[in-house]
Amino acid sequence: MTTALTPPAALHNEAVQLDTADPLAPLRTRFLLPPDVVYLDGNSLGPLPAAVPPALEDVLHRQWGTALIGSWNTAGWWEAPLRVGDTIGALIGAAPGQTIAGDSTSVQLFTALDAAATLRPDRPLLVTDPGHFPTDRYLTHAVARRRGLQVHHVSPADLPRFLATEGHRTAVVSYAPVDFRTGELYSMRALTRAAHAAGALALWDLCHAAGALPLDVDALGVDLAVGCGYKFLSGGPGAPAFLYVAHRHHDRLDTPLPGWTGHADPFALARHYTPAPGIARARIGTPPILSLLALEAALTAFDGVDLNQVRAKSLSLTGFFLRCTDELLTPLGFTPVTPADPARRGSQVTLRHPHARGLATALAEHGVIADMRAPDLLRFGVNALYTSHQDLLTAALALRDLTRNAAYDPAPPATGPVT
Amino acid sequence: MTTALTPPAALHNEAVQLDTADPLAPLRTRFLLPPDVVYLDGNSLGPLPAAVPPALEDVLHRQWGTALIGSWNTAGWWEAPLRVGDTIGALIGAAPGQTIAGDSTSVQLFTALDAAATLRPDRPLLVTDPGHFPTDRYLTHAVARRRGLQVHHVSPADLPRFLATEGHRTAVVSYAPVDFRTGELYSMRALTRAAHAAGALALWDLCHAAGALPLDVDALGVDLAVGCGYKFLSGGPGAPAFLYVAHRHHDRLDTPLPGWTGHADPFALARHYTPAPGIARARIGTPPILSLLALEAALTAFDGVDLNQVRAKSLSLTGFFLRCTDELLTPLGFTPVTPADPARRGSQVTLRHPHARGLATALAEHGVIADMRAPDLLRFGVNALYTSHQDLLTAALALRDLTRNAAYDPAPPATGPVT
C-alpha cells in the first residue's frame, strides 16, 4: 500500500500546523505508546502511562514485598479508595470527600441505582436511555426487579417531555453524557435540571466523559455519578471504577452492599453495621490495591493539565478527523454519525460502514487501532493527552486505502471484547 | 535483648530437626521474604511470591503497553476470571467450571447469599455464625433486610440442634470452616450434611482455609463458597476473591448483579440480559486485570504441591508453636485459645493476653510480624509453603523476652487495618 503514504497535501499541512501549535503535545511523553502504532481505542482501554511501571515496582517490592501487612497503614493503602476518589473527583468537578474509587463500574452502578431508589422511596420508576451501555440497562432492570419498581426507556431528547407527565413518579434518571456508540454529547445541565424539576435524582455514567472533557458535577447539582478508570483515565485493564455521591445525600445514603470496609469503625470488627460518615460508607470489600495504585499513578498524567485545553484539543482532533472523512472517506461509503456540531460531540468520531468489522481488523493489521460496534460502526477515540492530528490523518488514509483496495475481509467472524 | 537469642536447647534442636526433615522447605524460595523478618501474618496478607514481579512486568509492558486492547483476546484477559477460578477450584476440590475469580469477598458473598435465597424461595431464614467475620454478618443482614428475610445467629456447635427444629424454614447456612479469631476448625462435612438434611443450602467462606488445608467442596456437596485471594493464596493486597457454585445450581443461578460480562453473548451488547451458561453468569463487570493476573502468578507457588503435605506441615508448625507456648509463654500469662486437638485446628495459633495490642506492635519492631484481634488475642498464622519451625521458635522467644522485660506499651492507641 505505498500509495497510502502520500497524503493529500492540504490535510497533511493542516495536521502538521495543528500539531506544531498544540500546547498539549508534550504530554504525549507521559504515555508509553508503541512505535508505529496509531492508537485510537483509548476510549476502550487507555494506553500505558509512563508513571505506572515504576509505581507498581515500588508497590510490589517495597510496599508489599518488604513492608508487608504494615503497608495498609504506612503506604496509605487503607486510604487509597478515598484518595484516588478525590483525585478523580477533581477531574469531574467534585469537591473532596464525595468520590470513591473501587470495584467495577457495574458494582458502582448497582450501588448508585439502589441507593437512589432508597432516597426516593415513594417513586416507582427508574428511567434510563434505551441506547445506554448494556451493563447500565441490565443493572437498572435488576434493581427494579428486586425492588418491585418499573423501568422506562426514554431517549435523552424525549426526557423533558416524559418527565413533564411522569416526573412525579420517577425516582432517578440514569444517563451517560456521551453515547458510547455515536459519540453524541448530551447536555448534562439540561437533563439534570429536568430531573430535579420533577423531584427526581440524576445519576450519570461518566465512563466516556471523565478525563475527556471538563465536567462539573457539583455545580450542576448532579446527585450520583459513576465511571470507569480504564478509558480516558488510562488506569489499566479493568482499573477500578468510581462512585460520586453529592454531600447532601451522604447522611441518608443506604448502600446495598455494606461491606466491612464501609463501617464507621472497621477495625473494631463490630457485630452490627454502622455506616462510616461521608462517602466512605460506600466502600465495600478490600480493594484490589495493585490495580488501584496503578490507576493512581496513571492519573498523574493529568497533573497540571487544564481540562478546558483538553476539550479544545479534543474538538480540534475530532473536527479534523471529520474533515478527513469528508474528503477521503465519504466518497467511499462512510457516513459520520457523530454530530458535526462541536457542542454535541464527545471525544470520538464514529463512522458507519457495512464492513466495519473487517475494516477494524484490517486497520489493526496496518497499525491503526480503532474499534467497532456491531453491526456497522467504526469508532475512533481521541485523547488530547497523546493523540495528534497527524495520527488521525494516518488513520483516515489507511482506511481510505484499505477500502479502495478492498484489502479486508468483508465478513470476518465476530470476536473479541469491547468495553 | 541479648538473652532473647539463647533458645532453650530442646526446642531449638526440635525445630532444626523438623525443618531439616521438611519436604516442603524448598518451597520457601517461591516467596520473596524480607531477610530478618519472621512473617506470621500471611493469614492477613500473604507475602510476595517470586513469580509475581516478572508476571506483572509482562502484563504491563508487553500485554498492556504493546498489545493494548488486543490483549483482551491475545493475552487471555477475557478468560482470566474463569481460568484463575479453575486454578483456585483445584485447591478447594472443585472440578473445573464452577469457580470464578473476581471482585471482593464482600461482593461475592452478596452474590452467593442472594442467589442462595433465590434458590430456596419459600424459606425465610438465613442462618450464620454469631462469630462470623463482620462482612459476612453485615451482608447477611443486608440481603435479609432487602428480601424481607430473617437472620438467625447460631454457633457451629449448635447448628445441628437448631436445624432439627428450624431447618425446614432455613434457606442457607453460612459459615467459615476456620474461626478467624481462634483458629478453631469446624467440620465442613458435618455442617454441610446437617444443612442438606434440612433441605437448606450450605455456603462456606473459605478465606482462612483455601490454600491452607485440603478442601473438597465437590465431594462434600457444598452448594456455594467464597474466599479471598490475599491470605493463604498470597495474591497480593486486596487480590480478587472467588466464588464457587456447584454445577447443579448453575441453570437456576439468578445473580443479583447481572453485569454485562456475565451475559451469554457479551459482545453483542444486547438490550436484554441473558445469563451465560455455567459459572460465567456470575461475572459482573470488567475485572481488575493487574490484580487478577498477579493472583494468577501467585498461585503458581502451589504448582506440584500436595495439599495433604501442606496440612501435615501446618499441623506440625502449629503443634510446635503450642509446645513453645506451653514452655515459654503460659508461665507469663498467655493462654492458647486454639484447640490442641489437631483435627480442630486451622493454620494459626491464637494466644490470649491482656496486652495483645502492645505486644503485637513490639513484636513487629523486633522483626516478628503477627497480628491481633481486639481486645486480647494475638494471632500467629503459619503457611506451610514458607514458614519454618525455627521461625516459630524465634517468635515465641521474642514474645517471651518482650513480656518478661515489659518491653512494650501496655496501652497503645488502637490503629491499623486487620483483614
Side-chain angles (χ1 to χ4, degrees), chain B residues 214-241:
Chain B
L215 296 167
D216 213 349
V217 292
D218 280 352
L220 297 183
V222 167
D223 298 287
L224 306 104
V226 302
C228 79
Y230 51 81
K231 296 180 190 290
F232 292 94
L233 303 183
S234 302

Side-chain angles (χ1 to χ4, degrees), chain A residues 229-298:
Chain A
Y230 50 79
K231 296 181 189 290
F232 291 95
L233 303 183
S234 302
F242 64 88
L243 169 69
Y244 161 89
V245 182
H247 266 310
R248 62 187 176 280
H249 297 305
H250 288 184
D251 286 350
R252 292 186 303 139
L253 188 69
D254 183 9
T255 63
L257 279 79
W260 76 283
T261 69
H263 195 283
D265 188 4
F267 308 123
L269 304 178
R271 295 178 74 92
H272 298 290
Y273 185 75
T274 306
I279 193 66
R281 69 178 52 188
R283 298 181 74 145
I284 302 175
T286 310
I289 290 295
L290 304 187
S291 286
L292 184 56
L293 298 189
L295 168 59
E296 183 169 38

Side-chain angles (χ1 to χ4, degrees), chain A residues 32-34 37 39 41 44-49 52-53 56-57 59-61 64-70 72-73 77-78 103-107 110 114-115 118 130-131 133-135 137-139 141-143 145-147 153 180-181 230 234-240 254-261 263 265-274 284-292 294 298 357 369-371 373-374 415-419, chain B residues 32-34 37 39 41 44-49 52-53 56-57 59-61 64-70 72-73 77-78 103-107 110 114-115 118 130-131 133-135 137-139 141-143 145-147 153 180-181 230 234-240 254-261 263 265-274 284-292 294 298 357 369-371 373-374 415-419:
Chain A
L32 300 175
L33 292 158
V37 166
Y39 193 60
D41 207 6
S44 247
L45 174 68
L48 174 61
V52 168
L56 265 189
E57 173 88 5
V59 171
L60 286 183
H61 288 285
W64 177 14
T66 305
L68 293 154
I69 187 76
W72 279 107
N73 293 319
W77 291 354
W78 181 261
D103 296 291
S104 67
T105 310
S106 296
V107 172
F110 184 81
D114 192 82
T118 301
F133 188 77
T135 220
R137 291 204 308 271
Y138 304 157
L139 288 162
H141 280 275
V143 168
R145 182 161 66 98
R146 296 197 178 240
R147 298 182 67 110
H153 295 104
F180 77 99
R181 289 187 179 85
Y230 50 79
S234 302
D254 183 9
T255 63
L257 279 79
W260 76 283
T261 69
H263 195 283
D265 188 4
F267 308 123
L269 304 178
R271 295 178 74 92
H272 298 290
Y273 185 75
T274 306
I284 302 175
T286 310
I289 290 295
L290 304 187
S291 286
L292 184 56
R357 190 181 299 278
I369 302 178
D371 69 12
R373 290 295 174 266
T415 179
V418 285
T419 60
Chain B
L32 300 175
L33 292 157
V37 166
Y39 193 61
D41 206 8
S44 246
L45 173 69
L48 174 62
V52 169
L56 265 189
E57 172 88 5
V59 172
L60 286 182
H61 287 285
W64 177 13
T66 305
L68 292 153
I69 187 76
W72 279 106
N73 292 320
W77 290 353
W78 181 259
D103 296 290
S104 66
T105 310
S106 295
V107 172
F110 184 81
D114 192 83
T118 302
F133 188 77
T135 221
R137 292 204 308 270
Y138 304 157
L139 289 162
H141 280 276
V143 168
R145 181 161 65 98
R146 296 198 179 240
R147 299 181 67 110
H153 295 103
F180 76 100
R181 289 188 179 85
Y230 51 81
S234 302
D254 182 9
T255 63
L257 278 79
W260 76 283
T261 68
H263 195 282
D265 188 3
F267 309 123
L269 303 179
R271 295 179 73 92
H272 298 290
Y273 185 75
T274 306
I284 303 176
T286 310
I289 290 295
L290 304 187
S291 286
L292 184 57
R357 190 182 298 278
I369 302 178
D371 69 13
R373 290 294 174 269
T415 179
V418 286
T419 60

Side-chain angles (χ1 to χ4, degrees), chain A residues 307-328:
Chain A
L307 283 168
N308 292 299
Q309 284 195 321
V310 168
R311 175 64 172 158
K313 178 176 172 186
S314 167
L315 286 175
S316 174
L317 290 164
T318 52
F320 177 71
F321 191 66
L322 285 169
R323 290 197 295 284
C324 292
T325 299
D326 275 350
E327 183 159 333
L328 303 172

